[in-house]
Amino acid sequence: MLLTIELVDRLWHLRQSDQDPVAGFASGAQAYDTAAELAHRHHARTGQACVVQVAVASARVEALRVG
């Protein structure tokens, strides 16, 4: 599973794969903490790997890989 934290108009959005945002956050730290928790839960439940990436403008970086 791929979770993306993306900064859009001073609001951090959390997306699962290429779906619409599942949540919006005022701070990147809140968005990251939520994404990390979801990634760990997904891996524990399914055994599948999960990646959290952060996207700002046209740049993307992998911030966390679980599994």
Side-chain angles (χ1 to χ4, degrees):
M1 178 167 67
L2 175 64
L3 296 169
T4 302
I5 302 165
E6 185 175 26
L7 182 61
V8 178
D9 295 330
R10 295 184 290 188
L11 184 64
W12 293 92
H13 296 276
L14 175 57
R15 302 179 182 274
Q16 181 178 336
S17 300
D18 289 331
Q19 299 174 2
D20 289 334
V22 294
F25 300 89
S27 84
Q30 290 173 323
Y32 177 83
D33 289 346
T34 301
E37 183 179 334
L38 290 172
H40 285 285
R41 274 199 248 152
H42 174 77
H43 178 66
R45 187 177 67 251
T46 66
Q48 297 175 344
C50 188
V51 172
V52 175
Q53 70 178 1
V54 178
V56 178
S58 62
R60 294 181 185 271
V61 65
E62 184 177 308
L64 175 68
R65 179 178 291 267
V66 179

